[in-house]
Amino acid sequence: MSKDHLLILSSPLMEKEVVLSGIRPTGFLHLGNYFGAMRNYVRMQDTYHCYFFVANWHSLTTHPDTKELQNSVYRVIAENIACGLDPDKVALYIQSDVPEIAELYLYLNMLAYKGELEKTATFKEKVRLQPENINAGLLTYPVLQAADILIHRAVKVPVGKDQEQHLEMARHFAERFNYRYGEVLPLPYAFNYGGELVRIMSLDGTGKMSKSENQLATLYLADEEDSIRKKIMKAKTDEGPAEPNSVKPDYIENLFTLMKLVSTPGTLQKFEDDFNASSAGNCVIRYGNLKKQLAEDMARFIRPIREKAADIQHNRPLLQKIIHQGADKARASASETLKLVRQAIGMNYG
Ligand code: TRP
């Protein structure tokens, strides 16, 4: 990283707020991730100082196959760049490349109480799901997450609803740190685009698209064209609305949502009009045609992302360069925070 860049990071005149988010490297990224998260990251990269990282330490809490984990990490980096994240604008890095996070995690662990950790919703869920592997890493998952955030003194953390409890805990740990050792850590808050956030359901109408479950009803950024077509053609529909201008059932609404995201306004309008003109005896809308059109438009939308991600993933020298660049940026910021943290605690000898 250039000296100029370091100056900007540490300048008291720094105006851009620090945004940070972590991506779990489990499974394949899908359309829900794209429209719910990645597209927003891409929008934020010009407005904020952004840190985005792959949370591979967190993944170890569930004891995955680590060879697969490694491939997933590479894929997630490649896919994020293919979606428009610019490694020159943001710090895109791998958690395990930044040992400073582990040291801050250690200090924060002394400020986290067993009782509150055991009460965390995600921990209770894991205890239910993997009763044979309730390890300490799982219990202190929110502490590691707090370290991820606080190490860059990030204040805005774009995450979904399910992460709000972790954010609240991160604020508690930061407050306790500041109270005990002095004001070093700003309090981070969950951050999303509220009403603008697009929610995408799985194509069979049963809940959200998922990285690992229900793969036939989820559109992945790595899907080939024929697989995209097959999945969309199998999407749940029905015999059509009973009366004109009906409210759409959620699985139909979902198809329209997808169409709005990838088709032209004219195409969308045509199917909207057909839907609104339809009634029990007079079904104007043809869901088969809608799905065929959506499949074409979706295939066209996903193609460049899939191809770019594959190119990057197979270009190991490029991938290595990007990963090193991200690690350098992240470590520069992390070591500054850690210096302040050590000073505050009095862990600065010699
Ligand atoms: N726990 C987050 C999730 O399950 C991933 C994550 C790890 C994260 N560290 C983070 C998110 C820091 C935001 C900030 O999705």
Side-chain angles (χ1 to χ4, degrees):
M1 186 161 60
S2 72
K3 284 225 174 65
D4 288 345
H5 196 88
L6 274 172
L7 269 177
I8 292 167
L9 278 177
S10 57
S11 158
L13 296 173
M14 181 174 86
E15 273 167 19
K16 284 186 178 175
E17 284 178 303
V18 179
V19 162
L20 171 139
S21 199
I23 309 151
R24 264 178 307 162
T26 41
F28 287 77
L29 292 176
H30 53 72
L31 271 196
N33 299 131
Y34 179 84
F35 288 111
M38 286 147 95
R39 198 176 55 157
N40 291 331
Y41 298 170
V42 172
R43 283 188 196 157
M44 286 180 230
Q45 64 186 347
D46 293 310
T47 321
Y48 299 103
H49 251 300
C50 292
Y51 294 87
F52 298 116
F53 72 97
V54 188
N56 58 343
W57 277 337
H58 277 110
S59 294
L60 291 180
T61 57
T62 56
H63 294 181
D65 174 318
T66 47
K67 182 78 205 125
E68 232 172 81
L69 176 62
Q70 201 170 44
N71 282 330
S72 275
V73 170
Y74 287 130
R75 195 181 54 239
V76 167
I77 296 271
E79 284 180 332
N80 271 280
I81 294 169
C83 288
L85 271 196
D86 180 347
D88 288 331
K89 289 185 185 163
V90 306
L92 177 62
Y93 62 97
I94 300 169
Q95 187 181 35
S96 61
D97 280 343
V98 186
E100 289 81 4
I101 299 168
E103 186 175 333
L104 182 58
Y105 168 57
L106 181 148
Y107 298 134
L108 296 178
N109 265 321
M110 315 304 173
L111 303 172
Y113 299 109
K114 177 170 168 277
E116 66 186 335
L117 295 171
E118 282 171 341
K119 273 195 301 190
T120 313
T122 48
F123 176 70
K124 290 200 283 193
E125 173 75 0
K126 279 289 189 291
V127 168
R128 207 170 58 74
L129 290 174
Q130 52 178 65
E132 75 299 337
N133 181 20
I134 307 169
N135 60 70
L138 209 51
L139 182 68
T140 57
Y141 184 115
V143 189
L144 181 55
Q145 182 163 348
D148 290 330
I149 301 167
L150 301 174
I151 199 71
H152 299 298
R153 284 167 281 165
V155 291
K156 286 190 157 68
V157 185
V159 284
K161 269 243 165 305
D162 63 327
Q163 295 295 309
E164 271 171 20
Q165 191 178 24
H166 291 175
L167 260 291
E168 190 185 346
M169 294 172 82
R171 287 194 293 278
H172 288 154
F173 304 147
E175 275 170 339
R176 286 174 207 161
F177 184 99
N178 292 341
Y179 178 75
R180 186 168 290 272
Y181 304 118
E183 284 290 329
V184 175
L185 305 170
L187 304 186
Y189 287 87
F191 171 57
N192 55 45
Y193 284 91
E196 267 185 63
L197 216 59
V198 187
R199 264 177 228 299
I200 296 183
M201 282 176 59
S202 69
L203 296 168
D204 57 5
T206 61
K208 292 197 294 186
M209 286 196 174
S210 159
K211 280 187 186 168
S212 49
E213 292 152 44
N214 212 0
Q215 302 191 354
L216 292 177
T218 296
L219 295 167
Y220 297 96
L221 300 178
D223 277 347
E224 297 288 343
E225 320 235 322
D226 53 335
S227 153
I228 296 171
R229 287 200 184 89
K230 270 191 208 132
K231 287 178 182 180
I232 292 183
M233 292 317 288
K234 274 210 280 245
K236 177 173 177 175
T237 54
D238 51 30
E239 66 285 357
E243 42 191 87
N245 303 312
S246 290
V247 174
K248 300 186 186 87
D250 50 9
Y251 47 91
I252 299 293
E253 183 71 54
N254 192 44
L255 294 179
F256 276 93
T257 300
L258 292 173
M259 190 161 243
K260 189 168 174 184
L261 294 168
V262 300
S263 303
T264 65
T267 302
L268 176 70
Q269 194 59 51
K270 175 200 151 16
F271 287 104
E272 288 279 5
D273 291 346
D274 286 356
F275 181 90
N276 286 327
S278 298
S279 58
N282 174 31
C283 190
V284 184
I285 185 143
R286 295 274 172 269
Y287 287 135
N289 291 348
L290 180 149
K291 291 201 276 190
K292 235 185 251 165
Q293 179 70 48
L294 179 60
E296 287 319 306
D297 295 338
M298 187 60 76
R300 186 157 16 85
F301 180 83
I302 290 182
R303 184 185 309 133
I305 300 178
R306 178 188 61 238
E307 289 177 351
K308 187 163 181 206
D311 283 350
I312 297 169
Q313 213 178 320
H314 296 125
N315 186 344
R316 278 303 148 100
L318 174 64
L319 208 48
Q320 292 299 340
K321 191 179 143 248
I322 291 167
I323 288 168
H324 286 144
Q325 186 187 354
D328 285 349
K329 284 191 202 174
R331 291 197 69 182
S333 149
S335 59
E336 272 191 53
T337 302
L338 201 52
K339 205 161 98 195
L340 298 175
V341 162
R342 284 171 162 229
Q343 262 166 12
I345 308 179
M347 290 282 157
N348 52 335
Y349 302 93

Short mmCIF file of all heavy atoms in Angstrom, two decimals, residues 114-166:
data_model
loop_
_atom_site.label_atom_id
_atom_site.label_comp_id
_atom_site.label_asym_id
_atom_site.label_seq_id
_atom_site.Cartn_x
_atom_site.Cartn_y
_atom_site.Cartn_z
N LYS A 114 -19.82 -15.43 30.30
CA LYS A 114 -20.34 -16.74 29.93
C LYS A 114 -21.87 -16.71 29.79
O LYS A 114 -22.42 -17.23 28.82
CB LYS A 114 -19.92 -17.76 31.01
CG LYS A 114 -20.43 -19.16 30.84
CD LYS A 114 -19.73 -20.08 31.84
CE LYS A 114 -20.38 -21.44 31.93
NZ LYS A 114 -21.56 -21.47 32.84
N GLY A 115 -22.52 -16.04 30.74
CA GLY A 115 -23.99 -16.02 30.74
C GLY A 115 -24.56 -15.38 29.49
O GLY A 115 -25.47 -15.93 28.85
N GLU A 116 -24.01 -14.24 29.10
CA GLU A 116 -24.56 -13.56 27.91
C GLU A 116 -24.24 -14.34 26.64
O GLU A 116 -25.04 -14.36 25.70
CB GLU A 116 -24.05 -12.11 27.82
CG GLU A 116 -22.56 -11.99 27.56
CD GLU A 116 -22.04 -10.55 27.62
OE1 GLU A 116 -22.83 -9.61 27.39
OE2 GLU A 116 -20.83 -10.38 27.90
N LEU A 117 -23.08 -15.00 26.62
CA LEU A 117 -22.73 -15.77 25.43
C LEU A 117 -23.67 -16.97 25.28
O LEU A 117 -24.10 -17.31 24.17
CB LEU A 117 -21.27 -16.24 25.49
CG LEU A 117 -20.23 -15.10 25.46
CD1 LEU A 117 -18.84 -15.64 25.74
CD2 LEU A 117 -20.26 -14.37 24.12
N GLU A 118 -23.98 -17.59 26.40
CA GLU A 118 -24.88 -18.76 26.36
C GLU A 118 -26.31 -18.38 25.98
O GLU A 118 -27.05 -19.21 25.48
CB GLU A 118 -24.90 -19.45 27.73
CG GLU A 118 -23.66 -20.31 27.96
CD GLU A 118 -23.56 -20.83 29.38
OE1 GLU A 118 -24.23 -20.26 30.29
OE2 GLU A 118 -22.81 -21.79 29.59
N LYS A 119 -26.64 -17.12 26.20
CA LYS A 119 -28.01 -16.67 25.89
C LYS A 119 -28.20 -16.25 24.43
O LYS A 119 -29.31 -15.98 23.99
CB LYS A 119 -28.39 -15.48 26.79
CG LYS A 119 -28.97 -15.90 28.12
CD LYS A 119 -29.67 -14.74 28.82
CE LYS A 119 -28.72 -13.59 29.05
NZ LYS A 119 -29.19 -12.52 29.90
N THR A 120 -27.10 -16.16 23.68
CA THR A 120 -27.17 -15.69 22.29
C THR A 120 -27.99 -16.64 21.43
O THR A 120 -27.81 -17.86 21.49
CB THR A 120 -25.74 -15.60 21.70
OG1 THR A 120 -24.92 -14.93 22.64
CG2 THR A 120 -25.74 -14.85 20.38
N ALA A 121 -28.88 -16.07 20.62
CA ALA A 121 -29.81 -16.89 19.82
C ALA A 121 -29.06 -17.84 18.88
O ALA A 121 -29.39 -19.02 18.78
CB ALA A 121 -30.75 -15.99 19.03
N THR A 122 -28.01 -17.32 18.22
CA THR A 122 -27.29 -18.17 17.25
C THR A 122 -26.57 -19.32 17.97
O THR A 122 -26.46 -20.41 17.43
CB THR A 122 -26.26 -17.36 16.44
OG1 THR A 122 -25.50 -16.57 17.35
CG2 THR A 122 -26.95 -16.45 15.43
N PHE A 123 -26.10 -19.07 19.19
CA PHE A 123 -25.43 -20.14 19.94
C PHE A 123 -26.44 -21.23 20.32
O PHE A 123 -26.20 -22.42 20.14
CB PHE A 123 -24.76 -19.57 21.20
CG PHE A 123 -24.13 -20.63 22.07
CD1 PHE A 123 -22.98 -21.30 21.64
CD2 PHE A 123 -24.68 -20.98 23.31
CE1 PHE A 123 -22.40 -22.31 22.42
CE2 PHE A 123 -24.11 -21.97 24.08
CZ PHE A 123 -22.97 -22.63 23.65
N LYS A 124 -27.60 -20.79 20.81
CA LYS A 124 -28.63 -21.77 21.20
C LYS A 124 -29.05 -22.62 20.02
O LYS A 124 -29.28 -23.82 20.14
CB LYS A 124 -29.84 -21.05 21.83
CG LYS A 124 -29.48 -20.47 23.20
CD LYS A 124 -30.70 -20.18 24.05
CE LYS A 124 -31.37 -18.91 23.58
NZ LYS A 124 -32.37 -18.42 24.52
N GLU A 125 -29.13 -21.98 18.86
CA GLU A 125 -29.50 -22.68 17.63
C GLU A 125 -28.44 -23.74 17.29
O GLU A 125 -28.76 -24.88 16.94
CB GLU A 125 -29.61 -21.64 16.50
CG GLU A 125 -29.82 -22.17 15.10
CD GLU A 125 -31.23 -22.68 14.85
OE1 GLU A 125 -32.06 -22.61 15.77
OE2 GLU A 125 -31.47 -23.16 13.72
N LYS A 126 -27.17 -23.36 17.43
CA LYS A 126 -26.09 -24.30 17.12
C LYS A 126 -26.07 -25.47 18.11
O LYS A 126 -25.79 -26.62 17.73
CB LYS A 126 -24.72 -23.59 17.12
CG LYS A 126 -24.43 -22.84 15.83
CD LYS A 126 -24.15 -23.81 14.68
CE LYS A 126 -23.64 -23.15 13.41
NZ LYS A 126 -24.61 -22.32 12.71
N VAL A 127 -26.36 -25.18 19.35
CA VAL A 127 -26.41 -26.24 20.37
C VAL A 127 -27.47 -27.27 19.97
O VAL A 127 -27.28 -28.48 20.11
CB VAL A 127 -26.74 -25.65 21.76
CG1 VAL A 127 -27.07 -26.74 22.76
CG2 VAL A 127 -25.57 -24.80 22.25
N ARG A 128 -28.56 -26.76 19.42
CA ARG A 128 -29.63 -27.64 18.97
C ARG A 128 -29.18 -28.45 17.75
O ARG A 128 -29.41 -29.64 17.65
CB ARG A 128 -30.85 -26.77 18.61
CG ARG A 128 -32.19 -27.43 18.73
CD ARG A 128 -33.30 -26.40 18.57
NE ARG A 128 -33.23 -25.67 17.30
CZ ARG A 128 -33.57 -26.19 16.12
NH1 ARG A 128 -34.00 -27.44 16.05
NH2 ARG A 128 -33.47 -25.47 15.02
N LEU A 129 -28.47 -27.77 16.82
CA LEU A 129 -28.10 -28.41 15.56
C LEU A 129 -26.91 -29.35 15.68
O LEU A 129 -26.82 -30.34 14.97
CB LEU A 129 -27.78 -27.35 14.49
CG LEU A 129 -28.96 -26.54 13.96
CD1 LEU A 129 -28.47 -25.43 13.03
CD2 LEU A 129 -29.95 -27.44 13.22
N GLN A 130 -25.95 -29.00 16.52
CA GLN A 130 -24.76 -29.85 16.63
C GLN A 130 -24.39 -30.12 18.09
O GLN A 130 -23.33 -29.72 18.56
CB GLN A 130 -23.57 -29.24 15.85
CG GLN A 130 -23.25 -27.78 16.18
CD GLN A 130 -22.05 -27.26 15.41
OE1 GLN A 130 -22.07 -27.15 14.19
NE2 GLN A 130 -20.95 -26.92 16.11
N PRO A 131 -25.28 -30.85 18.80
CA PRO A 131 -25.07 -31.06 20.24
C PRO A 131 -23.76 -31.79 20.55
O PRO A 131 -23.25 -31.72 21.67
CB PRO A 131 -26.28 -31.91 20.66
CG PRO A 131 -26.84 -32.47 19.40
CD PRO A 131 -26.49 -31.51 18.31
N GLU A 132 -23.21 -32.47 19.53
CA GLU A 132 -21.97 -33.23 19.75
C GLU A 132 -20.72 -32.34 19.63
O GLU A 132 -19.62 -32.79 19.88
CB GLU A 132 -21.90 -34.43 18.79
CG GLU A 132 -21.56 -34.12 17.34
CD GLU A 132 -22.56 -33.19 16.62
OE1 GLU A 132 -23.76 -33.09 17.02
OE2 GLU A 132 -22.15 -32.55 15.65
N ASN A 133 -20.91 -31.09 19.24
CA ASN A 133 -19.74 -30.22 19.02
C ASN A 133 -19.98 -28.80 19.52
O ASN A 133 -19.99 -27.85 18.76
CB ASN A 133 -19.36 -30.21 17.52
CG ASN A 133 -18.13 -29.35 17.25
OD1 ASN A 133 -17.36 -29.05 18.16
ND2 ASN A 133 -17.96 -28.93 16.00
N ILE A 134 -20.18 -28.68 20.82
CA ILE A 134 -20.40 -27.35 21.39
C ILE A 134 -19.07 -26.84 21.90
O ILE A 134 -18.75 -26.94 23.09
CB ILE A 134 -21.46 -27.41 22.51
CG1 ILE A 134 -22.73 -28.10 21.97
CG2 ILE A 134 -21.81 -26.00 23.00
CD1 ILE A 134 -23.73 -28.45 23.04
N ASN A 135 -18.25 -26.32 21.00
CA ASN A 135 -16.89 -25.91 21.37
C ASN A 135 -16.86 -24.45 21.82
O ASN A 135 -17.81 -23.69 21.63
CB ASN A 135 -15.93 -26.18 20.20
CG ASN A 135 -16.33 -25.43 18.94
OD1 ASN A 135 -16.22 -24.21 18.89
ND2 ASN A 135 -16.80 -26.15 17.93
N ALA A 136 -15.73 -24.06 22.41
CA ALA A 136 -15.62 -22.69 22.95
C ALA A 136 -15.65 -21.64 21.84
O ALA A 136 -16.09 -20.51 22.05
CB ALA A 136 -14.34 -22.56 23.78
N GLY A 137 -15.19 -22.02 20.65
CA GLY A 137 -15.21 -21.09 19.53
C GLY A 137 -16.64 -20.73 19.15
O GLY A 137 -16.94 -19.58 18.79
N LEU A 138 -17.51 -21.70 19.27
CA LEU A 138 -18.92 -21.48 18.98
C LEU A 138 -19.52 -20.51 20.01
O LEU A 138 -20.24 -19.59 19.68
CB LEU A 138 -19.62 -22.83 19.03
CG LEU A 138 -20.84 -23.06 18.18
CD1 LEU A 138 -20.60 -22.69 16.74
CD2 LEU A 138 -21.23 -24.54 18.29
N LEU A 139 -19.16 -20.76 21.28
CA LEU A 139 -19.67 -19.91 22.36
C LEU A 139 -19.19 -18.46 22.18
O LEU A 139 -19.95 -17.52 22.41
CB LEU A 139 -19.18 -20.46 23.71
CG LEU A 139 -19.67 -19.71 24.94
CD1 LEU A 139 -21.17 -19.89 25.13
CD2 LEU A 139 -18.93 -20.18 26.20
N THR A 140 -17.95 -18.29 21.75
CA THR A 140 -17.39 -16.94 21.66
C THR A 140 -17.45 -16.38 20.23
O THR A 140 -16.78 -15.39 19.93
CB THR A 140 -15.91 -16.94 22.13
OG1 THR A 140 -15.18 -17.88 21.34
CG2 THR A 140 -15.80 -17.30 23.59
N TYR A 141 -18.26 -17.01 19.38
CA TYR A 141 -18.45 -16.52 18.00
C TYR A 141 -18.73 -15.01 17.97
O TYR A 141 -18.10 -14.27 17.21
CB TYR A 141 -19.58 -17.33 17.36
CG TYR A 141 -19.87 -17.04 15.90
CD1 TYR A 141 -19.66 -18.01 14.91
CD2 TYR A 141 -20.40 -15.82 15.48
CE1 TYR A 141 -19.95 -17.77 13.57
CE2 TYR A 141 -20.69 -15.57 14.15
CZ TYR A 141 -20.47 -16.55 13.20
OH TYR A 141 -20.76 -16.30 11.87
N PRO A 142 -19.65 -14.51 18.83
CA PRO A 142 -19.93 -13.06 18.78
C PRO A 142 -18.73 -12.21 19.21
O PRO A 142 -18.64 -11.04 18.82
CB PRO A 142 -21.08 -12.88 19.77
CG PRO A 142 -21.65 -14.23 19.99
CD PRO A 142 -20.53 -15.21 19.79
N VAL A 143 -17.83 -12.77 20.01
CA VAL A 143 -16.66 -12.00 20.43
C VAL A 143 -15.71 -11.84 19.25
O VAL A 143 -15.17 -10.76 19.00
CB VAL A 143 -15.92 -12.68 21.61
CG1 VAL A 143 -14.85 -11.74 22.15
CG2 VAL A 143 -16.89 -13.08 22.71
N LEU A 144 -15.53 -12.92 18.50
CA LEU A 144 -14.68 -12.85 17.30
C LEU A 144 -15.29 -11.88 16.30
O LEU A 144 -14.59 -11.07 15.68
CB LEU A 144 -14.52 -14.25 16.67
CG LEU A 144 -13.65 -14.34 15.42
CD1 LEU A 144 -12.26 -13.75 15.64
CD2 LEU A 144 -13.54 -15.79 14.94
N GLN A 145 -16.60 -11.93 16.17
CA GLN A 145 -17.27 -11.00 15.24
C GLN A 145 -17.06 -9.55 15.68
O GLN A 145 -16.83 -8.66 14.86
CB GLN A 145 -18.76 -11.34 15.13
CG GLN A 145 -19.49 -10.43 14.15
CD GLN A 145 -20.83 -10.98 13.70
OE1 GLN A 145 -21.16 -12.14 13.93
NE2 GLN A 145 -21.62 -10.14 13.06
N ALA A 146 -17.14 -9.32 17.00
CA ALA A 146 -16.90 -7.96 17.52
C ALA A 146 -15.48 -7.53 17.20
O ALA A 146 -15.23 -6.38 16.79
CB ALA A 146 -17.15 -7.93 19.02
N ALA A 147 -14.52 -8.45 17.34
CA ALA A 147 -13.12 -8.12 17.03
C ALA A 147 -12.97 -7.78 15.54
O ALA A 147 -12.26 -6.83 15.19
CB ALA A 147 -12.21 -9.29 17.40
N ASP A 148 -13.66 -8.53 14.68
CA ASP A 148 -13.64 -8.24 13.24
C ASP A 148 -14.00 -6.78 12.97
O ASP A 148 -13.41 -6.12 12.11
CB ASP A 148 -14.72 -9.06 12.50
CG ASP A 148 -14.42 -10.54 12.44
OD1 ASP A 148 -13.24 -10.90 12.42
OD2 ASP A 148 -15.40 -11.32 12.39
N ILE A 149 -15.02 -6.33 13.68
CA ILE A 149 -15.58 -4.99 13.44
C ILE A 149 -14.73 -3.92 14.10
O ILE A 149 -14.34 -2.93 13.48
CB ILE A 149 -17.03 -4.91 14.00
CG1 ILE A 149 -17.92 -5.97 13.33
CG2 ILE A 149 -17.59 -3.52 13.85
CD1 ILE A 149 -19.26 -6.20 14.02
N LEU A 150 -14.42 -4.14 15.39
CA LEU A 150 -13.76 -3.11 16.17
C LEU A 150 -12.30 -2.91 15.75
O LEU A 150 -11.74 -1.83 15.93
CB LEU A 150 -13.85 -3.45 17.67
CG LEU A 150 -15.30 -3.58 18.20
CD1 LEU A 150 -15.31 -4.07 19.64
CD2 LEU A 150 -16.05 -2.26 18.07
N ILE A 151 -11.70 -3.92 15.15
CA ILE A 151 -10.29 -3.82 14.74
C ILE A 151 -10.11 -2.71 13.70
O ILE A 151 -9.03 -2.14 13.59
CB ILE A 151 -9.77 -5.18 14.20
CG1 ILE A 151 -8.23 -5.21 14.21
CG2 ILE A 151 -10.26 -5.48 12.79
CD1 ILE A 151 -7.59 -5.27 15.54
N HIS A 152 -11.16 -2.38 12.95
CA HIS A 152 -11.06 -1.27 12.00
C HIS A 152 -11.85 -0.05 12.49
O HIS A 152 -12.07 0.88 11.74
CB HIS A 152 -11.60 -1.68 10.62
CG HIS A 152 -10.82 -2.81 10.01
ND1 HIS A 152 -9.50 -2.72 9.70
CD2 HIS A 152 -11.19 -4.08 9.67
CE1 HIS A 152 -9.07 -3.87 9.19
NE2 HIS A 152 -10.09 -4.71 9.17
N ARG A 153 -12.31 -0.13 13.71
CA ARG A 153 -13.16 0.91 14.29
C ARG A 153 -14.30 1.28 13.33
O ARG A 153 -14.59 2.46 13.09
CB ARG A 153 -12.31 2.15 14.66
CG ARG A 153 -11.50 1.92 15.95
CD ARG A 153 -10.44 2.96 16.16
NE ARG A 153 -9.26 2.72 15.33
CZ ARG A 153 -8.31 3.62 15.11
NH1 ARG A 153 -8.40 4.82 15.62
NH2 ARG A 153 -7.27 3.31 14.36
N ALA A 154 -14.90 0.23 12.78
CA ALA A 154 -16.02 0.42 11.85
C ALA A 154 -17.26 0.84 12.62
O ALA A 154 -17.48 0.40 13.75
CB ALA A 154 -16.30 -0.87 11.08
N VAL A 155 -18.07 1.72 12.03
CA VAL A 155 -19.29 2.17 12.70
C VAL A 155 -20.56 1.67 12.00
O VAL A 155 -21.63 1.63 12.58
CB VAL A 155 -19.35 3.70 12.84
CG1 VAL A 155 -18.29 4.18 13.83
CG2 VAL A 155 -19.17 4.39 11.49
N LYS A 156 -20.43 1.33 10.74
CA LYS A 156 -21.60 0.84 10.00
C LYS A 156 -21.33 -0.57 9.52
O LYS A 156 -20.32 -0.83 8.86
CB LYS A 156 -21.87 1.74 8.79
CG LYS A 156 -22.47 3.09 9.14
CD LYS A 156 -22.92 3.78 7.86
CE LYS A 156 -23.99 4.82 8.08
NZ LYS A 156 -23.53 5.99 8.80
N VAL A 157 -22.26 -1.46 9.85
CA VAL A 157 -22.06 -2.86 9.52
C VAL A 157 -23.28 -3.38 8.76
O VAL A 157 -24.32 -3.65 9.35
CB VAL A 157 -21.84 -3.69 10.81
CG1 VAL A 157 -21.52 -5.14 10.48
CG2 VAL A 157 -20.73 -3.09 11.66
N PRO A 158 -23.17 -3.47 7.43
CA PRO A 158 -24.32 -3.94 6.65
C PRO A 158 -24.54 -5.44 6.85
O PRO A 158 -23.75 -6.25 6.38
CB PRO A 158 -23.93 -3.63 5.19
CG PRO A 158 -22.47 -3.39 5.18
CD PRO A 158 -22.03 -3.08 6.58
N VAL A 159 -25.59 -5.76 7.59
CA VAL A 159 -25.93 -7.17 7.86
C VAL A 159 -27.44 -7.32 7.89
O VAL A 159 -28.17 -6.33 8.00
CB VAL A 159 -25.39 -7.64 9.23
CG1 VAL A 159 -23.90 -7.90 9.19
CG2 VAL A 159 -25.75 -6.66 10.33
N GLY A 160 -27.88 -8.55 7.83
CA GLY A 160 -29.30 -8.84 7.92
C GLY A 160 -29.79 -8.81 9.36
O GLY A 160 -29.00 -8.70 10.30
N LYS A 161 -31.11 -8.92 9.51
CA LYS A 161 -31.75 -8.90 10.83
C LYS A 161 -31.16 -9.92 11.80
O LYS A 161 -31.02 -9.66 12.99
CB LYS A 161 -33.25 -9.22 10.66
CG LYS A 161 -34.16 -8.04 10.46
CD LYS A 161 -35.15 -7.97 11.65
CE LYS A 161 -35.87 -6.64 11.75
NZ LYS A 161 -34.99 -5.48 11.83
N ASP A 162 -30.83 -11.10 11.26
CA ASP A 162 -30.35 -12.18 12.12
C ASP A 162 -29.03 -11.86 12.83
O ASP A 162 -28.62 -12.58 13.72
CB ASP A 162 -30.21 -13.49 11.32
CG ASP A 162 -29.16 -13.36 10.22
OD1 ASP A 162 -29.01 -12.25 9.67
OD2 ASP A 162 -28.49 -14.36 9.91
N GLN A 163 -28.38 -10.78 12.41
CA GLN A 163 -27.09 -10.43 13.01
C GLN A 163 -27.19 -9.29 14.02
O GLN A 163 -26.18 -8.86 14.58
CB GLN A 163 -26.09 -10.04 11.91
CG GLN A 163 -25.74 -11.17 10.96
CD GLN A 163 -24.99 -12.29 11.68
OE1 GLN A 163 -24.00 -12.05 12.37
NE2 GLN A 163 -25.47 -13.51 11.53
N GLU A 164 -28.40 -8.79 14.24
CA GLU A 164 -28.52 -7.61 15.09
C GLU A 164 -28.10 -7.86 16.53
O GLU A 164 -27.49 -7.02 17.17
CB GLU A 164 -29.92 -7.00 14.98
CG GLU A 164 -29.93 -5.99 13.84
CD GLU A 164 -31.29 -5.46 13.48
OE1 GLU A 164 -32.21 -5.55 14.32
OE2 GLU A 164 -31.42 -4.94 12.35
N GLN A 165 -28.39 -9.06 17.01
CA GLN A 165 -27.99 -9.38 18.38
C GLN A 165 -26.45 -9.37 18.51
O GLN A 165 -25.91 -8.88 19.51
CB GLN A 165 -28.55 -10.75 18.79
CG GLN A 165 -28.38 -11.00 20.28
CD GLN A 165 -28.97 -12.34 20.73
OE1 GLN A 165 -29.10 -13.28 19.93
NE2 GLN A 165 -29.33 -12.43 22.01
N HIS A 166 -25.77 -9.89 17.48
CA HIS A 166 -24.30 -9.86 17.51
C HIS A 166 -23.76 -8.43 17.52
O HIS A 166 -22.78 -8.13 18.20
CB HIS A 166 -23.73 -10.62 16.31
CG HIS A 166 -23.94 -12.10 16.36
ND1 HIS A 166 -23.60 -12.94 15.32
CD2 HIS A 166 -24.47 -12.89 17.31
CE1 HIS A 166 -23.90 -14.20 15.66
NE2 HIS A 166 -24.45 -14.18 16.85
#
